């Protein structure tokens, strides 16, 4: 692992040196690029993976590694414990669930969560966290004046269970959002990170796929008997699919143990095993992509899955996308290479989460005012999305390693990607 980090540092350094010399060094220097900002995130204006460091928060469980997040081995142990704590809650929901799945820890989500926590603000929208070509990512957070254990943090979220009423239409997302995300049966992975900020601690957990806001009143299926939906895959009271994850808005089919892909797209857009995205047909087929869905990529949570071309998900998130052809440093793209606003260091405590920024309407979801704030929020540099220095992601190397590797690779930011690129192209 030490080697790994050295390679990473060297590649980062080499990458900088090899790049075209920026026209205004005094301007560029104070703003290091974010190694997690690859094309597919850069195509999403305001994406959190494209935010610049330095981060103001210090990670709680490890040494401060400076501007860039570098995953430490200790995070793996911690993430397994975090998944265990979540599964304890999922296993004892009341009323009983027939389709509750066992969550699996994901260190990629964990490292991303820590990166987000080190911003020292939990403010974010689902659009800024989405893994294009992967899934939507839900977020729970907790600000605290004192350092807490993950047991404390997760119990605090669980205590919303006294407010939550299964099946009621009166559940207030801002009061039960953390709990319902924890007991969302469609969620399969979790990863958490924390940071010490000036005067407070911030705890963030990320969940994939995100709880669909239309399911807030019924985040799982209730039944008199647990595991009713997954005979043969039951462990205790949880359905255990061994960490199978369904990508691209697809749903786990408990009968076939496969993922049912979004079906309104052109044939071949989603690979039918776990619904990998293939940007093979350079246009969308859902009639709504040229109609009512236009301009709703940041507002309707399913638009990016139904219209991957319209929403900039294609071609950037295609497994075979070769970003070397187009990735450019900001100045190469003719964009300003200075942030116009300083990196976020605010310590606001008025926060919103996924659930509070979404209101359900029919089967789609429309984002309310908070949802639009990603474009103008002072916490996010206005040009961050498009002006960041993108790095090269060689997705082609990722496709044969199976679901786990593909998933982790989607999320495991920065160094791995750069290291692999270096290895495979040299
Ligand atoms: C470099 O950027 C700084 C900050 O924006 C600006 O004040 C300065 O004039 C620029 N220098 C050149 C040579 O463009
Ligand atoms: C920080 O890293 C140094 C060197 O690797 C190590 O000796 C020290 O114990 C670490 N501190 C913590 C709090 O992990
Ligand atoms: C609700 O959450 C609290 C706090 O974690 C827990 O002690 C209690 O058992 C939970 N109640 C139910 C019915 O799950
Ligand atoms: C999640 O929990 C934190 C800490 O209790 C709280 O500040 C926040 O409002 C909750 N969010 C939702 C959506 O329930
Ligand atoms: C659950 O149990 C109750 C009482 O035993 C029964 O009336 C009801 O039909 C059962 N529901 C299901 C879905 O089996
Ligand atoms: C059931 O879950 C427990 C706890 O996570 C685990 O130790 C055990 O191996 C699982 N059993 C099977 C058959 O997967
Ligand atoms: C699961 O897949 C089977 C076979 O393709 C299909 O008949 C069934 O409707 C699917 N179940 C759900 C809930 O979509
Ligand atoms: C592209 O879309 C067309 C029209 O829907 C379809 O007939 C064709 O099979 C698709 N191409 C591939 C490679 O799947
Ligand atoms: C779907 O993806 C898997 C994993 O990359 C691959 O092995 C399989 O051949 C693909 N299937 C199709 C029909 O493209």
């Amino acid at each position: 692992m030490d080697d790994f980090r050295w390679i990473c540092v060297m590649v980062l350094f080499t990458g900088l040196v090899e790049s075209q010399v920026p026209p205004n060094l005094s301007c560029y220097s104070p703003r290091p690029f974010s190694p997690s900002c690859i094309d597919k995130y850069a195509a999403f204006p305001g994406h959190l993976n494209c935010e610049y460091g330095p981060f103001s928060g210090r990670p709680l469980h490890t040494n401060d590694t400076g501007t860039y997040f570098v995953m430490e081995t200790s995070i793996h142990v911690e993430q397994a414990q975090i998944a265990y704590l979540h599964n304890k809650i999922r296993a004892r929901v009341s009323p009983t669930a027939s389709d509750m799945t066992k969550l699996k820890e994901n260190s990629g989500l964990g490292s991303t969560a820590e990166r987000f926590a080190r911003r020292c603000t939990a403010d974010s929208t689902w659009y800024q966290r989405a893994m294009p070509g992967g899934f939507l990512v839900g977020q729970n957070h907790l600000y605290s004046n004192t350092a807490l254990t993950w047991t404390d943090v997760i119990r605090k979220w669980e205590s919303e269970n006294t407010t939550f009423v299964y099946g009621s239409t009166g559940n207030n997302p801002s009061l039960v959002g953390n709990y319902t995300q924890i007991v969302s049966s469609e969620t399969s992975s979790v990863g958490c990170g924390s940071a010490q900020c000036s005067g407070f601690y911030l705890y963030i957990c990320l969940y994939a796929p995100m709880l669909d806001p239309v399911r807030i009143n019924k985040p799982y299926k209730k039944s008199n008997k647990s595991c009713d939906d997954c005979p043969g895959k039951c462990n205790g009271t949880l359905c255990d699919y061994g960490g199978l994850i369904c990508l691209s808005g697809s749903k786990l089919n408990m009968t076939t143990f496969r993922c049912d892909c979004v079906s309104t797209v052109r044939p071949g857009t989603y690979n039918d095993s776990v619904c990998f995205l293939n940007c093979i047909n350079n246009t969308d087929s859902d009639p709504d992509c040229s109609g009512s869905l236009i301009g709703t990529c940041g507002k309707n949570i399913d638009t990016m899955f139904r219209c991957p071309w319209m929403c900039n998900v294609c071609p950037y998130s295609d497994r075979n996308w070769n970003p070397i052809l187009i990735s450019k440093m900001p100045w190469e793209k003719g964009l300003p290479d200075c942030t116009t606003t300083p990196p976020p260091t605010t310590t606001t405590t008025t926060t919103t989460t996924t659930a509070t920024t979404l209101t359900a309407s029919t089967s789609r979801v429309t984002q309310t005012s908070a949802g639009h704030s990603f474009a103008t929020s002072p916490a996010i540099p206005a040009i961050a999305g498009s002006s960041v220095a993108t790095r090269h992601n060689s997705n082609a190397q990722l496709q044969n390693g199976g679901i786990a590797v593909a998933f982790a690779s989607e999320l495991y930011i920065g160094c791995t990607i750069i290291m692999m690129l270096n290895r495979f192209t040299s």
Side-chain angles (χ1 to χ4, degrees):
M1 272 298 145
D2 281 349
D3 286 352
F4 166 93
R5 272 202 261 157
W6 272 112
I7 293 166
C8 178
V9 167
M10 288 177 67
V11 173
L12 288 174
F13 186 74
T14 313
L16 279 173
V17 170
E18 281 176 354
S19 301
Q20 189 178 317
V21 176
N24 192 335
L25 265 176
S26 67
C27 181
Y28 175 68
S29 308
R31 198 192 56 180
F33 70 80
S34 161
S36 62
C37 187
I38 54 180
D39 291 273
K40 64 182 182 183
Y41 302 128
F44 271 48
H47 200 285
L48 294 180
N49 276 344
C50 289
E51 260 191 20
Y52 290 105
F55 303 111
S56 52
R58 292 175 63 84
L60 286 181
H61 67 280
T62 185
N63 281 328
D64 191 342
T65 51
T67 301
Y68 306 113
F69 177 81
V70 176
M71 181 127 68
E72 300 281 341
T73 40
S74 63
I75 202 169
H76 295 292
V77 180
E78 193 178 55
Q79 298 302 322
Q81 174 69 4
I82 284 166
Y84 170 77
L85 293 168
H86 279 84
N87 283 327
K88 268 192 1 191
I89 297 175
R90 291 163 75 86
R92 65 163 182 246
V93 290
S94 174
T96 311
S98 62
D99 67 342
M100 189 66 80
T101 49
K102 187 172 175 179
L103 279 193
K104 198 157 168 52
E105 71 273 15
N106 185 276
S107 54
L109 282 178
S111 61
T112 303
E114 182 165 313
R115 189 182 137 80
F116 291 176
R118 293 183 60 194
R119 297 157 67 236
C120 289
T121 170
D123 286 346
S124 69
T125 65
W126 62 269
Y127 186 72
Q128 293 174 283
R129 301 188 297 265
M131 299 296 163
F135 23 60
L136 303 175
V137 176
Q139 177 187 301
N140 282 358
H141 71 265
L142 175 68
Y143 291 93
S144 173
N145 293 326
T146 54
L148 300 173
T149 63
W150 281 112
T151 306
D152 296 333
V153 171
I154 293 164
R155 187 178 293 138
K156 173 87 177 140
W157 292 332
E158 185 193 13
S159 68
E160 293 173 5
N161 63 7
T162 55
T163 310
F164 175 71
V165 181
Y166 186 95
S168 158
T169 52
N171 287 305
N172 181 344
S174 63
L175 300 179
V176 302
N178 296 296
Y179 177 68
T180 49
Q181 175 61 78
I182 288 174
V183 299
S184 159
S185 62
E186 287 181 354
T187 297
S188 55
S189 309
V190 62
C192 304
S194 51
Q196 178 175 14
C197 303
S198 60
F200 64 97
Y201 298 84
L202 178 55
Y203 298 84
I204 289 184
C205 285
L206 297 179
Y207 301 85
M210 177 176 96
L211 166 72
D212 186 337
V214 302
R215 287 164 55 95
I216 187 123
N217 298 317
K218 293 181 179 177
Y220 58 87
K221 256 171 79 182
K222 81 166 177 180
S223 149
N224 287 357
K225 200 162 144 278
S226 50
C227 287
D228 247 6
D229 284 14
C230 60
K233 293 281 177 187
C234 191
N235 185 345
T237 56
L238 296 177
C239 299
D240 187 351
Y241 291 93
L244 174 68
I245 48 151
C246 291
L247 303 176
S248 313
S250 61
K251 305 284 185 201
L252 176 64
N253 183 317
M254 297 210 164
T255 314
T256 58
F257 307 140
R258 292 168 70 91
C259 304
D260 289 337
C261 304
V262 170
S263 59
T264 54
V265 294
R266 278 190 197 281
T269 298
Y270 294 120
N271 175 316
D272 65 6
S273 54
V274 292
C275 306
F276 279 113
L277 175 66
N278 289 318
C279 293
I280 46 171
N281 265 320
N282 70 344
T283 179
D284 297 310
S285 65
D286 189 323
D288 272 355
C289 296
S290 53
S292 64
L293 291 187
I294 280 194
T296 65
C297 296
K299 294 179 189 140
N300 288 347
I301 61 169
D302 61 349
T303 308
M304 75 170 79
F305 300 127
R306 296 169 62 188
C307 314
W309 286 95
M310 188 177 86
C311 293
N312 253 6
V313 174
C314 280
Y316 308 106
S317 306
D318 186 291
R319 284 180 293 155
N320 299 312
W321 171 242
N322 183 352
I324 292 165
L325 303 174
I326 68 131
S327 274
K328 288 189 161 133
M329 302 298 266
W331 54 89
E332 293 173 314
K333 290 179 177 169
L335 293 162
D337 60 333
C338 298
T339 43
T340 49
T341 36
T345 52
T346 51
T347 59
T348 173
T349 51
T350 53
T351 61
T352 53
T353 67
T354 301
T356 56
T357 59
L358 296 170
T359 43
S361 68
T362 68
S363 69
R364 305 244 176 90
V365 172
T366 311
Q367 205 158 7
T368 54
S369 55
H372 298 295
S373 67
F374 76 82
T376 51
S377 165
I380 311 290
I383 58 169
S386 51
S387 69
V388 354
T390 54
R391 293 285 90 195
H392 303 158
N393 174 20
S394 186
N395 274 329
Q397 273 90 52
L398 306 182
Q399 47 178 291
N400 296 322
I403 299 162
V405 172
F407 175 49
S409 303
E410 290 288 312
L411 301 172
Y412 185 20
I413 54 179
C415 292
T416 312
I417 290 159
I418 295 165
M419 185 183 77
M420 285 178 71
L421 179 86
N422 186 57
R423 188 175 283 168
F424 283 101
T425 54
S426 61

